[in-house]
Amino acid sequence: MKTDPLLPALQELGAAVLALADTLARTVPTLLEALLRVAGSFTRLVHALLDCVPPH
């Protein structure tokens, strides 16, 4: 019985996709948390800068 030549390539692709999904599952939540912290800090900075502007 002849082995389909696409099978090894598909298996390799599947393994690579699983590895990518595993990496993203571990890093995306950390990245999102960091981005939310940056956004919060930026918002506080903008509010502080606006408090420095005298009313017209």
Side-chain angles (χ1 to χ4, degrees), residues 7-33:
L7 187 60
L10 289 172
Q11 288 173 333
E12 182 181 342
L13 177 61
V17 169
L18 287 175
L20 175 62
D22 181 57
T23 300
L24 289 174
R26 285 184 277 118
T27 57
V28 168
T30 304
L31 177 62
L32 289 177
E33 182 182 337

Side-chain angles (χ1 to χ4, degrees), residues 50-56:
L50 290 174
D51 287 342
C52 294
V53 176
H56 290 73

Side-chain angles (χ1 to χ4, degrees), residues 36-53:
L36 286 173
R37 271 184 280 162
V38 168
S41 297
F42 183 75
T43 301
R44 286 188 288 281
L45 173 64
V46 169
H47 280 264
L49 288 171
L50 290 174
D51 287 342
C52 294
V53 176

